Amino acid sequence: MFTPVKNQKVYKVVIEQIKDMIKTGQLKKGDKLPPERELVEQLQVSRTSIREALRSLEILGLIESRQGEGNFIRESFHQSLLEPLSIMFMLEESSPKEVLELRRVIETETASLAARHINEESLNELHEIVSTFKNTTDEKLNTELDQKFHSKITEASENFLLINILNTISSIIDSFISDARFRIMENKDNRETLIYQHEAVYKALSSHDSNSAAEEMKKHLEFINKTIFKQ
């Protein structure tokens, strides 16, 4: 399974072996790593090197340590992306506008991709969200529905990287512009515009029209961005 390690920076070689095993499929999401004692024997390195490698992999977000159970390959990587991106956002003093622009660029093409892959089940879920959105005046619920609408479209893209990146961006938006969605929903005219835009995106997706889906999503996100920074 593992090969003995003989290197000055031993822990880095241990990390590379574990990463290689993930690349080749020997280790998969959710798999449990051998106990430290077994790793020491198989790799022929010190327990200190093993622990240093495991700590590094945990910081990188590749593995997670469960108390009393051991070390596992992560099943979800959303949190792994969220923390470093949030810190970078703060250290670089990025503006909320930059995050929203990034979201517009990525999510526009995600809608195009979703139009090609979306299935009837996802379309039905989106239709239900749009219908509820039209028929409720509960702005807190509408805010949740808006988040769910975008999340479902991202999932429909069937692209793991896009799903994780956009979920991370959405979390950053919620962290730094926490009341933005709610403020938009409070305005009746905005709400009418959003109902129309959500329907337009849904219709493009249901027609599996990639160009139209991208264009309608772009219009929708540009409206959101302008509205937020106008207030």
Side-chain angles (χ1 to χ4, degrees), residues 191-221:
R191 187 171 172 276
E192 293 300 318
T193 300
L194 289 173
I195 288 171
Y196 171 80
Q197 290 179 339
H198 280 98
E199 281 191 304
V201 172
Y202 165 73
K203 286 177 182 176
L205 290 169
S206 62
S207 300
H208 300 282
D209 186 334
S210 295
N211 291 334
S212 181
E215 185 59 32
E216 295 300 338
M217 181 61 79
K218 182 180 177 184
K219 288 178 189 174
H220 170 57
L221 293 172

Side-chain angles (χ1 to χ4, degrees), residues 133 136-147 181-182 185-186 191:
F133 193 75
T136 181
T137 55
D138 183 339
E139 299 313 332
K140 184 178 178 183
L141 175 59
N142 278 332
T143 300
E144 292 171 0
L145 289 170
D146 182 63
Q147 288 175 298
R181 283 186 172 99
F182 187 80
M185 299 291 181
E186 278 185 315
R191 187 171 172 276

Side-chain angles (χ1 to χ4, degrees), residues 121-162:
E121 182 181 351
S122 295
L123 284 170
N124 289 337
E125 289 175 350
L126 287 174
H127 183 262
E128 187 176 337
I129 291 169
V130 171
S131 297
T132 307
F133 193 75
K134 287 171 67 176
N135 296 309
T136 181
T137 55
D138 183 339
E139 299 313 332
K140 184 178 178 183
L141 175 59
N142 278 332
T143 300
E144 292 171 0
L145 289 170
D146 182 63
Q147 288 175 298
K148 191 175 179 182
F149 182 79
H150 287 271
S151 178
K152 287 292 176 186
I153 293 172
T154 302
E155 288 173 16
S157 74
E158 297 182 358
N159 185 302
F160 169 78
L161 288 174
L162 284 174

Side-chain angles (χ1 to χ4, degrees), residues 87-103:
I87 292 169
M88 184 177 70
F89 180 89
M90 291 184 287
L91 290 175
E92 293 293 333
E93 298 181 353
S94 301
S95 68
K97 189 174 183 180
E98 288 177 316
V99 181
L100 291 169
E101 286 172 347
L102 176 62
R103 179 195 179 198

